[in-house]
Amino acid sequence: MKKLLRSYGIIFAGSVLYSLAFAAFFEANQVGMAGVTGLAQVGNVLFPALSVGALTFLLNVPIFLVGWRLLGFHLLASSLFSMAVSSAAIDLFGLWRFPAMDPMLAALCGGALMGLGLGMVFTQGATSGGTDIIGRLLKLKFPWLPLGKLILVPDLAALAAVAAAFDSVEAALYGGVAMFVASQVADTVLYGMDLTKVAYIVSDRWQEIAEVLMCRQGRGVTILQGEGAYTGAEKRVLMIAFRQREIVTIKRQVHELDERAFLIVCDAREVLGEGFGVYRKDEL
């Protein structure tokens, strides 16, 4: 129960940040919004009596019905909660008159805040509804692509409708900038918080280096077979995964043992097992 309450608390906070970004930066500065919320903006222009929050909720219903069969009950329940909170918060924040600012600044700041909110929701295996669910459905088809990038596909289509309804290409372009920033921030929250590196080390003193890395760093080392293309000599290549904060120590230890060691350090987005991440069936 404690874990469940914590999860829904994070979803609540992320949904509120999403709504605040829309009200304070998008709506207050006439920046086009993508996704279902953008379509709700269009509907609000055509039918002023219906609020953006109410239209967002109504437009999400058929999407949730599709998501029920393909994505399961947990996603549906948590996403319904997120959608209800964000829809209500959009109308609540709409009671305040937020000051206007430069549209580009609004797009950048609003996109960053919205991406933060979406990322928080995504980390709990939920979505905020709308194109987020469409993104999750696309994720089933293209599991190797980041979720933030997949959401851009339906979002850009919605922006085209916003541009036509508002008769303003600029509003849609600013919205496109905001959505790109939001996708980058959301992916950073999802995949970039756990900074992991992978190092490949080629050295004649590979045994000593491997022993030091295992004993002092407490990291597993994999020995790969290699061969020099020019000399034809057999080589041992050490592969080690480690946290970002360990990079300076590892480089120093390798250099102390062999100044001529060949070292390659690469970014690793997801590392599972052996003290790192754990595979989850519903992961994003």
Side-chain angles (χ1 to χ4, degrees), residues 222-236:
T222 300
I223 302 174
L224 308 176
Q225 298 289 338
E227 181 179 336
Y230 181 75
T231 64
E234 291 188 0
K235 296 287 185 180
R236 297 293 188 273

PDB file of all heavy atoms in Angstrom, residues 222-236:
ATOM      1  N   THR A 222      34.281  -8.373 -17.874  1.00  0.00           N
ATOM      2  CA  THR A 222      34.166  -9.408 -18.901  1.00  0.00           C
ATOM      3  C   THR A 222      35.390  -9.335 -19.816  1.00  0.00           C
ATOM      4  O   THR A 222      35.774  -8.250 -20.259  1.00  0.00           O
ATOM      5  CB  THR A 222      32.888  -9.216 -19.735  1.00  0.00           C
ATOM      6  OG1 THR A 222      31.754  -9.290 -18.873  1.00  0.00           O
ATOM      7  CG2 THR A 222      32.773 -10.282 -20.809  1.00  0.00           C
ATOM      8  N   ILE A 223      35.992 -10.475 -20.081  1.00  0.00           N
ATOM      9  CA  ILE A 223      37.183 -10.529 -20.927  1.00  0.00           C
ATOM     10  C   ILE A 223      36.770 -10.978 -22.329  1.00  0.00           C
ATOM     11  O   ILE A 223      36.213 -12.062 -22.513  1.00  0.00           O
ATOM     12  CB  ILE A 223      38.231 -11.509 -20.357  1.00  0.00           C
ATOM     13  CG1 ILE A 223      38.622 -11.076 -18.931  1.00  0.00           C
ATOM     14  CG2 ILE A 223      39.462 -11.575 -21.253  1.00  0.00           C
ATOM     15  CD1 ILE A 223      39.541 -12.062 -18.235  1.00  0.00           C
ATOM     16  N   LEU A 224      37.020 -10.125 -23.307  1.00  0.00           N
ATOM     17  CA  LEU A 224      36.685 -10.409 -24.697  1.00  0.00           C
ATOM     18  C   LEU A 224      37.952 -10.775 -25.468  1.00  0.00           C
ATOM     19  O   LEU A 224      39.033 -10.262 -25.180  1.00  0.00           O
ATOM     20  CB  LEU A 224      36.017  -9.194 -25.352  1.00  0.00           C
ATOM     21  CG  LEU A 224      34.816  -8.588 -24.618  1.00  0.00           C
ATOM     22  CD1 LEU A 224      34.343  -7.336 -25.345  1.00  0.00           C
ATOM     23  CD2 LEU A 224      33.698  -9.595 -24.502  1.00  0.00           C
ATOM     24  N   GLN A 225      37.804 -11.651 -26.429  1.00  0.00           N
ATOM     25  CA  GLN A 225      38.925 -12.038 -27.267  1.00  0.00           C
ATOM     26  C   GLN A 225      39.057 -11.037 -28.414  1.00  0.00           C
ATOM     27  O   GLN A 225      38.067 -10.703 -29.075  1.00  0.00           O
ATOM     28  CB  GLN A 225      38.707 -13.449 -27.835  1.00  0.00           C
ATOM     29  CG  GLN A 225      38.620 -14.542 -26.785  1.00  0.00           C
ATOM     30  CD  GLN A 225      39.963 -14.815 -26.121  1.00  0.00           C
ATOM     31  OE1 GLN A 225      41.004 -14.519 -26.671  1.00  0.00           O
ATOM     32  NE2 GLN A 225      39.927 -15.386 -24.922  1.00  0.00           N
ATOM     33  N   GLY A 226      40.281 -10.567 -28.648  1.00  0.00           N
ATOM     34  CA  GLY A 226      40.527  -9.624 -29.723  1.00  0.00           C
ATOM     35  C   GLY A 226      41.792  -9.966 -30.490  1.00  0.00           C
ATOM     36  O   GLY A 226      42.585 -10.822 -30.079  1.00  0.00           O
ATOM     37  N   GLU A 227      41.975  -9.304 -31.621  1.00  0.00           N
ATOM     38  CA  GLU A 227      43.160  -9.525 -32.438  1.00  0.00           C
ATOM     39  C   GLU A 227      43.521  -8.227 -33.139  1.00  0.00           C
ATOM     40  O   GLU A 227      42.648  -7.547 -33.713  1.00  0.00           O
ATOM     41  CB  GLU A 227      42.904 -10.616 -33.484  1.00  0.00           C
ATOM     42  CG  GLU A 227      44.104 -10.915 -34.368  1.00  0.00           C
ATOM     43  CD  GLU A 227      43.815 -12.007 -35.379  1.00  0.00           C
ATOM     44  OE1 GLU A 227      42.916 -12.832 -35.127  1.00  0.00           O
ATOM     45  OE2 GLU A 227      44.490 -12.024 -36.426  1.00  0.00           O
ATOM     46  N   GLY A 228      44.780  -7.837 -33.054  1.00  0.00           N
ATOM     47  CA  GLY A 228      45.225  -6.629 -33.727  1.00  0.00           C
ATOM     48  C   GLY A 228      45.175  -6.802 -35.233  1.00  0.00           C
ATOM     49  O   GLY A 228      45.751  -7.759 -35.768  1.00  0.00           O
ATOM     50  N   ALA A 229      44.498  -5.913 -35.938  1.00  0.00           N
ATOM     51  CA  ALA A 229      44.348  -6.050 -37.385  1.00  0.00           C
ATOM     52  C   ALA A 229      45.690  -5.893 -38.110  1.00  0.00           C
ATOM     53  O   ALA A 229      45.937  -6.540 -39.131  1.00  0.00           O
ATOM     54  CB  ALA A 229      43.354  -5.010 -37.911  1.00  0.00           C
ATOM     55  N   TYR A 230      46.554  -5.042 -37.588  1.00  0.00           N
ATOM     56  CA  TYR A 230      47.843  -4.792 -38.249  1.00  0.00           C
ATOM     57  C   TYR A 230      48.886  -5.854 -37.893  1.00  0.00           C
ATOM     58  O   TYR A 230      49.552  -6.413 -38.755  1.00  0.00           O
ATOM     59  CB  TYR A 230      48.348  -3.400 -37.868  1.00  0.00           C
ATOM     60  CG  TYR A 230      49.668  -3.030 -38.522  1.00  0.00           C
ATOM     61  CD1 TYR A 230      49.719  -2.684 -39.862  1.00  0.00           C
ATOM     62  CD2 TYR A 230      50.848  -3.040 -37.786  1.00  0.00           C
ATOM     63  CE1 TYR A 230      50.927  -2.354 -40.470  1.00  0.00           C
ATOM     64  CE2 TYR A 230      52.068  -2.707 -38.373  1.00  0.00           C
ATOM     65  CZ  TYR A 230      52.096  -2.366 -39.714  1.00  0.00           C
ATOM     66  OH  TYR A 230      53.288  -2.051 -40.313  1.00  0.00           O
ATOM     67  N   THR A 231      48.999  -6.150 -36.585  1.00  0.00           N
ATOM     68  CA  THR A 231      50.033  -7.092 -36.126  1.00  0.00           C
ATOM     69  C   THR A 231      49.566  -8.539 -36.132  1.00  0.00           C
ATOM     70  O   THR A 231      50.379  -9.468 -36.185  1.00  0.00           O
ATOM     71  CB  THR A 231      50.478  -6.733 -34.695  1.00  0.00           C
ATOM     72  OG1 THR A 231      49.361  -6.891 -33.797  1.00  0.00           O
ATOM     73  CG2 THR A 231      50.973  -5.292 -34.624  1.00  0.00           C
ATOM     74  N   GLY A 232      48.259  -8.741 -36.031  1.00  0.00           N
ATOM     75  CA  GLY A 232      47.738 -10.096 -35.943  1.00  0.00           C
ATOM     76  C   GLY A 232      47.898 -10.701 -34.563  1.00  0.00           C
ATOM     77  O   GLY A 232      47.589 -11.882 -34.357  1.00  0.00           O
ATOM     78  N   ALA A 233      48.395  -9.905 -33.612  1.00  0.00           N
ATOM     79  CA  ALA A 233      48.622 -10.396 -32.248  1.00  0.00           C
ATOM     80  C   ALA A 233      47.293 -10.533 -31.505  1.00  0.00           C
ATOM     81  O   ALA A 233      46.391  -9.711 -31.667  1.00  0.00           O
ATOM     82  CB  ALA A 233      49.546  -9.445 -31.497  1.00  0.00           C
ATOM     83  N   GLU A 234      47.205 -11.568 -30.679  1.00  0.00           N
ATOM     84  CA  GLU A 234      46.012 -11.756 -29.861  1.00  0.00           C
ATOM     85  C   GLU A 234      45.962 -10.716 -28.750  1.00  0.00           C
ATOM     86  O   GLU A 234      46.984 -10.370 -28.162  1.00  0.00           O
ATOM     87  CB  GLU A 234      45.987 -13.160 -29.252  1.00  0.00           C
ATOM     88  CG  GLU A 234      45.762 -14.268 -30.266  1.00  0.00           C
ATOM     89  CD  GLU A 234      45.565 -15.606 -29.592  1.00  0.00           C
ATOM     90  OE1 GLU A 234      45.615 -15.651 -28.335  1.00  0.00           O
ATOM     91  OE2 GLU A 234      45.358 -16.600 -30.310  1.00  0.00           O
ATOM     92  N   LYS A 235      44.771 -10.227 -28.499  1.00  0.00           N
ATOM     93  CA  LYS A 235      44.571  -9.211 -27.473  1.00  0.00           C
ATOM     94  C   LYS A 235      43.430  -9.632 -26.558  1.00  0.00           C
ATOM     95  O   LYS A 235      42.534 -10.381 -26.950  1.00  0.00           O
ATOM     96  CB  LYS A 235      44.230  -7.854 -28.110  1.00  0.00           C
ATOM     97  CG  LYS A 235      45.336  -7.254 -28.971  1.00  0.00           C
ATOM     98  CD  LYS A 235      46.475  -6.736 -28.120  1.00  0.00           C
ATOM     99  CE  LYS A 235      47.531  -6.031 -28.988  1.00  0.00           C
ATOM    100  NZ  LYS A 235      48.645  -5.511 -28.175  1.00  0.00           N
ATOM    101  N   ARG A 236      43.488  -9.151 -25.323  1.00  0.00           N
ATOM    102  CA  ARG A 236      42.384  -9.306 -24.387  1.00  0.00           C
ATOM    103  C   ARG A 236      41.750  -7.938 -24.197  1.00  0.00           C
ATOM    104  O   ARG A 236      42.446  -6.963 -23.908  1.00  0.00           O
ATOM    105  CB  ARG A 236      42.859  -9.852 -23.042  1.00  0.00           C
ATOM    106  CG  ARG A 236      43.457 -11.240 -23.108  1.00  0.00           C
ATOM    107  CD  ARG A 236      42.416 -12.289 -23.472  1.00  0.00           C
ATOM    108  NE  ARG A 236      42.964 -13.630 -23.345  1.00  0.00           N
ATOM    109  CZ  ARG A 236      43.624 -14.245 -24.312  1.00  0.00           C
ATOM    110  NH1 ARG A 236      43.828 -13.622 -25.468  1.00  0.00           N
ATOM    111  NH2 ARG A 236      44.094 -15.465 -24.133  1.00  0.00           N
TER     112      ARG A 236
END
